[in-house]
Amino acid sequence: MPKLTIAIDGPAGSGKSSVARRVAAMLGYVYLDSGAMYRALALKALRQGASLNDEAGLETFTKETHIELKPPRPEQEAAGAKNGVFLDGREVTQEIRTPEVAQAASRLATIAGVRRVLVAEQQRAGAGGGVVMEGRDIGTVVFPNAELKIFLDASPEERAERRWKEHQEKGEKMTLAEVFDEVIERDRRDRERRVSPLVRAEDAVLVDNTAMGIEETARLIVMLAGDRQKQLAGVAGGNP
Ligand code: DC
């Protein structure tokens, strides 16, 4: 069976990371979290006090930054990490998971030059197929020819509650209302930006998992992947 490229896009809290990681594990594919790259870059910009408005400077800044995604170590995976994230050779897997970094990532992600550099890296990382990549523009820009595209969504209330639970588990004291506002603001920016906004690709399958768990959602996507593989094998073998 041919190995597929699977693109999973959707808003914050839609379950992309957990579902995409599970799908990759079930299929024996590589999992890549493109959002972690925007977050790592944002962490560096915040640490260095870089201006988030200097577009030309930020493109150079991105080119000079080395971001690497690796499979998580078992203890990291047990703690919920989906990729080990390295920024200029130093591990930042935990540090990038704060609301402040998320907001800065969403702001950096509006800049065309930043996206150009990161998209090229994402395309290189996923080049061989057999990959599940998640983000906002994977099916529309990074891998427009992906054999399977999923647009994952859930109600804003459910997405905020999932994020809030994650913060609770880490002992962070944010109220549900604060998390709701953070998620809604980031969604708005991600959907309304001029370059590569979050939109459902025309050929993406919409999966609303408001009332579904991670395992159920992952199984559905694995089933769709199996259908797609059969379809492709049929085409290659000359079947209608
Ligand atoms: O998936 P995430 O919440 O970790 O992503 C953080 C931010 O990065 C998100 O608000 C928008 C941006 N992003 C993007 O613009 N394109 C992607 N492919 C992935 C993330």
Side-chain angles (χ1 to χ4, degrees):
M1 282 287 185
K3 284 205 166 192
L4 307 178
T5 297
I6 302 179
I8 304 186
D9 290 301
S14 58
K16 292 187 306 292
S17 305
S18 307
V19 168
R21 174 85 185 102
R22 188 74 191 109
V23 169
M26 285 161 108
L27 294 174
Y29 284 14
V30 172
Y31 161 73
L32 293 168
D33 172 5
S34 66
M37 300 176 73
Y38 289 90
R39 284 174 182 258
L41 188 71
L43 179 69
K44 181 171 170 180
L46 289 172
R47 281 179 176 170
Q48 297 193 355
S51 160
L52 298 186
N53 299 316
D54 172 13
E55 299 208 3
L58 284 170
E59 178 165 4
T60 310
F61 179 77
T62 312
K63 282 187 188 148
E64 289 167 352
T65 302
H66 182 65
I67 300 167
E68 217 181 330
L69 303 179
K70 295 185 182 174
R73 294 190 300 275
E75 70 276 16
Q76 288 179 315
E77 185 146 32
K82 315 292 187 306
N83 268 150
V85 185
F86 291 79
L87 170 64
D88 294 327
R90 307 202 42 184
E91 178 150 21
V92 294
T93 308
Q94 297 287 340
E95 291 91 323
I96 60 169
R97 300 290 159 197
T98 68
E100 191 194 11
V101 171
Q103 284 293 346
S106 166
R107 287 183 59 192
L108 279 178
T110 63
I111 298 168
V114 167
R115 300 200 72 87
R116 246 193 317 275
V117 179
L118 292 187
V119 165
E121 282 178 26
Q122 289 152 12
Q123 288 170 333
R124 262 194 302 277
V131 36
V132 184
M133 190 177 289
E134 54 116 332
R136 302 293 187 290
D137 61 340
I138 309 304
T140 50
V141 177
V142 181
F143 292 119
N145 297 324
E147 290 89 359
L148 179 63
K149 300 180 188 178
I150 306 290
F151 192 89
L152 202 57
D153 210 348
S155 73
E157 292 77 14
E158 174 65 23
R159 294 191 287 109
E161 192 166 334
R162 289 177 187 169
R163 270 290 138 86
W164 178 71
K165 281 187 183 148
E166 282 170 22
H167 290 308
Q168 294 286 102
E169 279 160 20
K170 287 194 273 173
E172 288 160 8
K173 296 193 185 354
M174 282 180 86
T175 65
L176 182 55
E178 283 168 342
V179 176
F180 185 83
D181 289 347
E182 195 269 325
V183 164
I184 297 299
E185 188 191 343
R186 202 144 62 88
D187 269 9
R188 189 192 46 74
R189 195 185 296 114
D190 294 345
R191 287 181 203 270
E192 291 179 3
R193 69 177 174 229
R194 209 169 30 83
V195 268
S196 314
L198 169 66
V199 284
R200 173 184 168 193
E202 265 175 33
D203 50 350
V205 181
L206 173 65
V207 176
D208 185 318
N209 70 359
T210 304
M212 288 164 75
I214 292 161
E215 192 64 24
E216 195 184 356
T217 313
R219 279 182 199 282
L220 171 65
I221 295 173
V222 167
M223 199 187 75
L224 292 171
D227 288 349
R228 194 74 184 102
Q229 280 177 315
K230 280 190 211 125
Q231 206 181 21
L232 290 169
V235 171
N239 294 335

